């Protein structure tokens, strides 16, 4: 299942799985709800600003491959969509929760995964989660992979193997300069002006000497 999804598709599927489990009364989802879920500030890394067009295109690609479907309930006035990803992969609730968190927040340590996945699946303890990760890594092809342990880290992180590439992060908000920044900039401008005045003074002195001669 490697390279099954691109980065935006993974965010969309992760969002749909999360909402199906955690807010079933609001599921299936409209395109607008999927956009808002993809771009929400909490439980997302990186935080994104995906457009409706980007999300709609991703949903259509997922539908073409059978990973999402159009919901056609009688009371539905606008199109709604449901994910079929877990069913297509044939994975249980524990594996689904892990993949969902990895798609929404990127590589994580087992302790982080257990804490964050708790809202979707209750692991008995850390050992159960680690055993699940190990089993997922031994599938052919693997669904997850353990990354090299970073210096000073408590444990190695795990990453899902469903896509390659990176999500576009939301544009950073420009912060106003601090008082110290303004004072530093002012000092630099004054120093530059003083240097320019000194240079002009030297030129003027040289001209006076030439005229006197």
């Amino acid at each position: 299942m490697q390279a099954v999804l691109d980065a935006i598709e993974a965010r969309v599927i992760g969002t749909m799985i999360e909402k199906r489990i955690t807010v079933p009364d609001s599921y299936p989802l409209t395109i607008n709800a999927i956009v808002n879920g993809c771009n929400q500030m909490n439980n997302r890394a990186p935080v994104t600003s995906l457009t409706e067009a980007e999300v709609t295109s991703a949903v259509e690609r997922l539908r073409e491959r059978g990973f999402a479907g159009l919901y056609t309930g009688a009371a539905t006035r606008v199109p709604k969509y449901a994910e079929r990803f877990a069913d297509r992969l044939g994975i249980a609730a524990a594996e689904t929760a892990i993949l969902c968190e990895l798609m929404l927040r990127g590589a994580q340590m087992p302790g982080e995964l257990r804490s964050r996945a708790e809202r979707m699946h209750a692991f008995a303890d850390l050992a159960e989660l680690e055993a699940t990760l190990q089993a997922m890594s031994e599938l052919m092809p693997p669904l997850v992979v353990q990354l090299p342990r970073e210096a000073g880290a408590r444990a190695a992180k795990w990453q899902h193997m469903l896509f390659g590439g990176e999500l576009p992060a939301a544009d950073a908000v420009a912060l106003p300069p601090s008082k110290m920044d303004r004072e530093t900039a002012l000092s630099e401008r004054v120093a530059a002006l003083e240097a320019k005045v000194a240079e002009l003074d030297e030129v003027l002195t040289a001209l006076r000497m030439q005229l006197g001669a």
Side-chain angles (χ1 to χ4, degrees):
M1 297 299 296
Q2 289 172 292
V4 170
L5 308 173
D6 65 29
I8 296 178
E9 292 166 357
R11 174 59 63 89
V12 168
I13 283 293
T15 297
M16 295 178 77
I17 291 173
E18 176 194 55
K19 302 306 180 186
R20 171 175 62 80
I21 299 172
T22 61
V23 285
D25 291 343
S26 302
Y27 190 84
L29 305 174
T30 64
I31 287 294
N32 186 59
I34 299 172
V35 171
N36 291 336
C38 288
N39 294 335
Q40 70 185 51
M41 302 294 289
N42 61 312
N43 297 317
R44 302 289 185 269
V47 173
T48 58
S49 55
L50 300 177
T51 65
E52 181 176 326
E54 289 174 320
V55 170
T56 300
S57 178
V59 169
E60 289 305 315
R61 295 195 301 273
L62 292 167
R63 287 183 62 199
E64 290 173 0
R65 284 171 283 163
F67 294 139
L70 180 65
Y71 178 72
T72 56
T76 302
R77 289 179 294 179
V78 294
K80 293 186 176 182
Y81 301 88
E83 62 86 17
R84 298 172 179 168
F85 194 69
D87 290 340
R88 289 276 289 173
L89 266 64
I91 55 177
E95 290 87 350
T96 300
I98 288 174
L99 283 179
C100 178
E101 283 300 326
L102 291 176
M103 285 190 283
L104 292 179
R105 296 184 67 101
Q108 300 168 62
M109 292 182 287
E112 295 172 322
L113 272 173
R114 185 193 174 199
S115 174
R116 292 164 179 167
E118 188 77 15
R119 60 205 173 102
M120 291 182 284
H121 178 79
F123 291 90
D125 51 30
L126 187 59
E128 180 187 351
L129 181 134
E130 290 176 328
T132 305
L133 284 169
Q134 188 62 40
M136 294 170 71
S137 72
E138 293 173 356
L139 295 173
M140 294 302 292
L143 291 176
V144 297
V145 62
Q146 188 176 36
L147 303 178
R149 184 170 177 174
E150 299 174 0
R154 298 189 307 275
K157 292 182 178 182
W158 290 78
Q159 172 66 63
H160 74 77
M161 294 289 287
L162 298 173
F163 77 96
E166 297 181 355
L167 275 164
D171 293 337
V173 177
L175 298 176
S178 66
K179 181 179 180 182
M180 182 174 293
D181 291 336
R182 292 195 299 268
E183 290 177 350
T184 299
L186 180 59
S187 297
E188 291 175 349
R189 290 178 63 188
V190 169
L193 288 172
E194 289 176 343
K196 189 66 175 178
V197 169
E199 180 183 346
L200 291 173
D201 188 58
E202 290 179 359
V203 172
L204 183 58
T205 301
L207 287 173
R208 286 173 177 170
M209 292 178 62
Q210 291 177 7
L211 292 172

